[in-house]
């Protein structure tokens, strides 16, 4: 046996380091119990963790459509889209996504992560410049790195800094990428402002609307619609990307834009060309989902009422805790507590009361900004939200009390 020390034997110690830093993650086995209830590792929980913002993931019409799709097309797509995987179901879904987003053409992918890591390098490369909001989703960051373009990371939502960086760049091809709704904070990017800057500096704008699609705008048409952005200005300069595993309740993603830009992406996106197309049964389910997203406005109104209720309930409790509830009018509500261990303790305290709210730690969020990410859904009732608020109020009072005692102890020393 080879007894020379090897880096390969260091992984146990490296995993132990994750433990020490409260950064070790683990999965839980989850079974849906209906509504916003989940069985998590065997325990029934009221969950505030799902991106199923409209409560469609468990809808019988989607399951029925998926089964019908499987019977009609089989389960697997059998190939990559440019060879033989582009089913009639996927083609129909693309047409419907384009119509739904009011953009000329859409390209349907099997996952959002694969979309962004593929389309960014298809748009810019070495010698080009890419401008990225500091809080963008990991897959936009990874796509930027893969592209080999020069990356300019601007402070979150700081359009002044972006303007200056665009003005200073000598690159001829410039791409601005931004989440439309930031996934760990819930705030909405100033899309009209971003578009105006892109026009001024002749940049292309790619927005990732994973958390806005289905939720924001009339009929849930997404963040562009939320701002009333449509027509030739948008088609010329904007690529709209959104995921289909969140509000749409199924899986996958798409990018939409002008015929030409989408044609270019079809030709050049490696994660599209070299991957098996999504199973047609998912497209069947998604087509059923799109109809519900469009028609059932009540899901969005209910969700909006829950957002207001949660914020109104929590606001008075935060004084003296050192916690802050980030400004957000969307389903994503971030309660920033700061330290990793404090966020984990808070999560654990809620878990003991049957409430499941995930603690999010670095590197998903910046150092020192560990938080509970409260995700609301149309599947929640007002009573569900009240239960969470009551538990958080108790925890807040305890935390404020602890801080007070710490201060007094420090003062008397
Ligand atoms: C979830 C998410 C993705 C990834 O989409 P998947 O379909 O889960 O791969 C991309 N961007 C943002 C902002 C997301 O929140």
């Amino acid at each position: 046996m080879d007894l020379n020390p090897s880096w390969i034997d260091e992984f146990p110690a490296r995993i132990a380091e994750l433990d020490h830093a409260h950064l070790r993650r683990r999965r839980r086995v989850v079974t849906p119990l209906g509504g916003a209830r989940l069985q998590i590792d065997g325990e029934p929980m009221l969950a505030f963790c799902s991106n199923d913002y409209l409560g469609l993931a468990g809808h019988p019409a989607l399951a029925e459509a998926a089964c019908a799709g499987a019977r009609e097309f089989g389960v697997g797509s059998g190939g990559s889209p440019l060879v033989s995987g582009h089913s009639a179901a996927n083609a129909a879904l693309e047409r419907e996504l384009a119509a739904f987003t009011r953009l000329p053409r859409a390209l349907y992918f099997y996952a959002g992560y694969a979309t962004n890591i593929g389309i960014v390098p298809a748009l810019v490369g070495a010698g080009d410049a890419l401008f990225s909001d500091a809080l963008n989703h990991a897959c936009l960051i990874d796509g930027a790195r893969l592209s080999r373009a020069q990356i300019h990371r601007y402070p979150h939502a700081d359009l002044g800094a972006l303007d200056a960086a665009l003005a200073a760049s000598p690159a001829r091809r410039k791409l601005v990428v931004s989440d439309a709704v930031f996934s760990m904070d819930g705030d909405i990017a100033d899309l009209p402002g971003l578009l105006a800057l892109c026009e001024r500096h002749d940049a292309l704008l790619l927005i990732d609307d994973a958390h806005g699609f289905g939720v924001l705008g009339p009929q849930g048409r997404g963040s562009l619609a939320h701002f009333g952005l449509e027509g030739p200005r948008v088609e010329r300069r904007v690529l709209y990307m959104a995921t289909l595993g969140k509000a749409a309740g199924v899986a996958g993603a798409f990018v939409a834009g002008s015929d030409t830009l989408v044609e270019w992406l079809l030709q050049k996106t490696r994660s599209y060309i070299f991957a098996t197309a999504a199973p047609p049964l998912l497209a069947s389910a998604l087509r059923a989902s799109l109809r519900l997203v469009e028609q059932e406005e009540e899901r969005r109104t209910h969700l909006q009422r829950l957002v207001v209720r949660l914020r109104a309930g929590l606001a008075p409790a935060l004084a003296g805790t050192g916690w802050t509830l980030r400004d957000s009018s969307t389903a994503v509500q971030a309660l920033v507590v700061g330290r990793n261990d404090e966020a984990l303790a808070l999560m654990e305290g809620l878990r003991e009361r049957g409430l499941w709210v995930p603690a999010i730690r670095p590197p998903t969020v910046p150092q020192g900004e560990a938080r509970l990410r409260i995700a609301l859904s149309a599947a929640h009732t007002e009573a569900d939200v009240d239960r969470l608020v009551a538990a958080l109020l108790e925890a807040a009072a305890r935390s404020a009390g602890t801080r007070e005692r710490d201060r007094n102890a420090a003062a008397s020393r």
Side-chain angles (χ1 to χ4, degrees):
M1 192 174 130
D2 176 5
L3 288 177
N4 290 331
S6 161
W7 69 277
I8 295 166
D9 302 318
E10 288 164 9
F11 287 101
R14 294 172 72 182
I15 291 171
E17 277 169 32
L18 292 178
D19 273 327
H20 281 301
H22 302 284
L23 289 176
R24 172 112 172 238
R25 288 130 198 277
R26 65 182 196 85
R27 299 174 304 170
R28 273 99 182 169
V29 178
V30 173
T31 314
L33 297 176
R37 276 153 186 82
L38 298 175
Q39 189 183 52
I40 300 182
D41 276 352
E43 281 180 77
M45 291 278 164
L46 174 58
F48 292 88
C49 59
S50 167
N51 299 320
D52 175 25
Y53 300 124
L54 297 179
L56 289 175
H59 197 292
L62 272 58
E64 201 36 64
C67 293
R71 281 191 293 270
E72 185 175 355
F73 301 104
V75 173
S77 73
S80 62
L82 297 187
V83 178
S84 62
H86 187 54
S87 60
N90 290 18
L93 174 64
E94 288 184 344
R95 285 192 296 275
E96 290 170 12
L97 286 168
F100 184 74
T101 54
R102 311 277 199 256
L103 288 163
R105 191 172 170 194
L107 194 62
Y108 166 52
F109 282 71
Y110 53 93
Y113 184 88
T115 307
N116 283 339
I117 63 158
I119 64 179
V120 173
L123 294 167
V124 286
D128 302 335
L130 183 146
F131 303 80
S132 176
D133 187 287
L135 293 189
N136 276 347
H137 190 269
C139 59
L140 285 174
I141 297 170
D142 294 352
R145 289 179 180 148
L146 276 175
S147 77
R148 301 199 191 88
Q150 182 165 29
I151 300 170
H152 304 266
R153 185 170 176 266
Y154 59 91
H156 176 52
D158 186 342
L159 294 200
L162 172 60
D163 189 17
L166 283 164
S169 167
R172 201 171 77 81
R173 288 200 282 251
K174 304 185 182 88
L175 174 67
V176 174
V177 297
S178 178
D179 283 20
V181 174
F182 289 87
S183 50
M184 295 299 142
D185 293 72
D187 56 325
I188 305 175
D190 174 3
L191 298 183
L194 285 170
L195 178 56
L197 281 186
C198 287
E199 286 175 330
R200 185 176 321 151
H201 299 285
D202 193 24
L204 182 64
L205 177 61
L206 167 61
I207 63 165
D208 175 341
D209 201 22
H211 303 276
F213 179 80
V215 177
L216 296 180
Q219 293 93 42
R221 291 179 204 286
S223 298
L224 286 174
H226 169 79
F227 288 108
L229 289 173
E230 61 173 314
R233 264 182 79 205
V234 172
E235 288 170 25
R236 168 134 199 263
R237 208 169 276 285
V238 179
L239 278 168
Y240 175 85
M241 176 271 182
T243 66
L244 300 167
K246 289 169 179 150
V250 184
F254 69 97
V255 58
S258 72
D259 267 324
T260 320
L261 284 173
V262 172
E263 177 64 20
W264 178 258
L265 293 177
L266 172 60
Q267 300 301 323
K268 292 292 177 185
T269 303
R270 295 172 63 84
S271 59
Y272 188 76
I273 298 167
F274 298 107
T276 301
L281 67 95
L282 296 182
S284 300
L286 281 163
R287 296 177 67 195
S289 168
L290 266 188
R291 284 192 283 278
L292 296 177
V293 168
E294 189 166 22
Q295 289 162 9
E296 299 195 343
E297 195 65 38
E298 173 53 22
R299 292 178 186 271
R300 278 177 291 276
T301 358
H302 177 60
L303 176 59
Q304 212 46 54
R305 270 198 305 272
L306 297 180
V307 169
V308 171
R309 195 174 182 92
L310 176 82
R311 295 189 67 85
L314 283 184
L318 298 178
T321 57
W323 303 349
T324 51
L325 185 61
R326 287 282 157 91
D327 243 339
S328 160
S329 58
T330 67
V332 178
Q333 297 288 323
L335 182 62
V336 178
V337 304
R339 287 174 26 187
N340 296 342
D341 55 347
E342 197 180 345
L344 286 175
L346 185 54
M347 175 182 177
E348 180 56 24
L350 293 173
R351 193 190 63 76
E352 284 164 7
R353 288 169 175 72
L355 296 162
W356 187 259
V357 192
I360 309 286
R361 290 157 285 165
T364 309
V365 295
Q367 284 295 337
E369 295 187 16
R371 67 194 62 185
L372 292 188
R373 179 185 184 271
I374 304 168
L376 295 172
S377 159
H380 288 118
T381 63
E382 295 192 343
D384 290 341
V385 170
D386 292 347
R387 219 180 116 192
L388 175 64
V389 168
L392 282 170
L393 292 188
E394 265 181 51
R398 269 198 311 279
S399 163
T402 310
R403 273 163 195 266
E404 177 76 22
R405 276 195 302 283
D406 290 350
R407 262 198 307 279
N408 291 343
S412 65
R413 267 203 295 274

